[in-house]
Amino acid sequence: MSRLDPESMEAQQRTLVLGVVLALPVAIGLWFAIDRLLPAIPGMTTQTARAIFALHCAGVAVLLGLLPGIEAVAHERLVTPAIDPLAGQESPRMRINQRYVQNSIEQLWLFVPGLVLLAIQARDGFSMRAVVATTVVWIIARWVFWIGYGIGPRFRSAGLVGMVQSMIVLLYCVGRFGYLWLGWPGATLLVGPFVVMELIIVGKLRWDGWKAQPD
């Protein structure tokens, strides 16, 4: 059997998938370890207190998961020919850092709403440990994504477990909201359209890929 060219699309796809597959058990184990071993969060008797705590966790995530990337770009731009943003003098390292910043901003739009909803729907200080666990896993996933991107773009995928986590949390919280509102029909009404859109997107890409194959 001939070995794949490491730079081929198929080889890169396999590396991306393998990164996620290997990272998922680690992320799940870390999440459950924090959720089970951390002491209960004190003072979490009201929804307002839990929401405020979640916003503080989101602030920590921005500080540790986004701000370092912004700083890396800003400092390199200050001391290189890329000081002129329109000169097109960005180094490969700066381009990676810019991609990291852009991706982190996109991920925050999934992470923060889900985190706040998770806190609001929590019952007490014990269930609020899930908010801490979700925050820690997201931050570490951002670091893994950044480091992997620096090694090579195809090695960034291990850090995408943070996106997987954010999607699961958001789906769970929205689905639970629908269930508490209208029962299973409500959960289906809110989550169902996303599932349909996801199936359409994946199906369309697979169909296009199949049509592009040579006869």
Side-chain angles (χ1 to χ4, degrees):
M1 180 183 296
S2 60
R3 299 182 61 183
L4 288 174
D5 178 2
E7 300 303 321
S8 68
M9 178 177 290
E10 186 176 355
Q12 294 187 55
Q13 288 172 336
R14 289 187 180 183
T15 303
L16 288 168
V17 172
L18 181 61
V20 175
V21 170
L22 293 177
L24 270 177
V26 178
I28 293 172
L30 176 61
W31 193 97
F32 276 103
I34 297 172
D35 184 58
R36 294 293 182 269
L37 300 178
L38 192 73
I41 311 299
M44 298 291 105
T45 56
T46 66
Q47 282 189 339
T48 301
R50 296 194 293 272
I52 291 174
F53 183 85
L55 289 175
H56 279 88
C57 288
V60 173
V62 171
L63 175 67
L64 300 180
L66 174 62
L67 184 56
I70 295 174
E71 284 288 281
V73 173
H75 284 293
E76 183 173 350
R77 192 174 292 284
L78 184 63
V79 297
T80 66
I83 192 170
D84 178 359
L86 302 181
Q89 295 296 316
E90 290 82 0
S91 67
R93 178 176 60 189
M94 181 182 285
R95 290 199 297 270
I96 289 172
N97 292 340
Q98 288 175 321
R99 293 291 182 91
Y100 170 77
V101 169
Q102 179 63 39
N103 185 264
S104 296
I105 293 172
E106 294 169 358
Q107 297 308 317
L108 278 169
W109 279 101
L110 298 178
F111 168 72
V112 174
L115 192 74
V116 174
L117 289 175
L118 189 64
I120 290 174
Q121 294 179 6
R123 298 180 304 276
D124 50 32
F126 287 99
S127 54
M128 280 295 290
R129 296 178 298 186
V131 173
V132 178
T134 301
T135 303
V136 172
V137 169
W138 189 87
I139 292 171
I140 294 177
R142 286 288 84 204
W143 294 344
V144 172
F145 180 90
W146 198 3
I147 294 170
Y149 218 137
I151 296 172
R154 64 180 179 273
F155 297 111
R156 72 191 187 277
S157 61
L160 294 178
V161 294
M163 184 194 72
V164 175
Q165 174 187 253
S166 296
M167 184 172 64
I168 292 173
V169 169
L170 197 58
L171 283 169
Y172 167 77
C173 291
V174 171
R176 188 179 178 197
F177 165 68
Y179 179 80
L180 293 174
W181 179 27
L182 294 173
W184 285 112
T188 303
L189 179 66
L190 296 182
V191 175
F194 169 79
V195 175
V196 172
M197 286 186 286
E198 187 74 6
L199 291 173
I200 292 173
I201 292 169
V202 173
K204 181 66 166 58
L205 289 173
R206 290 188 176 275
W207 173 256
D208 290 345
W210 178 78
K211 288 197 303 181
Q213 291 180 355
D215 295 334

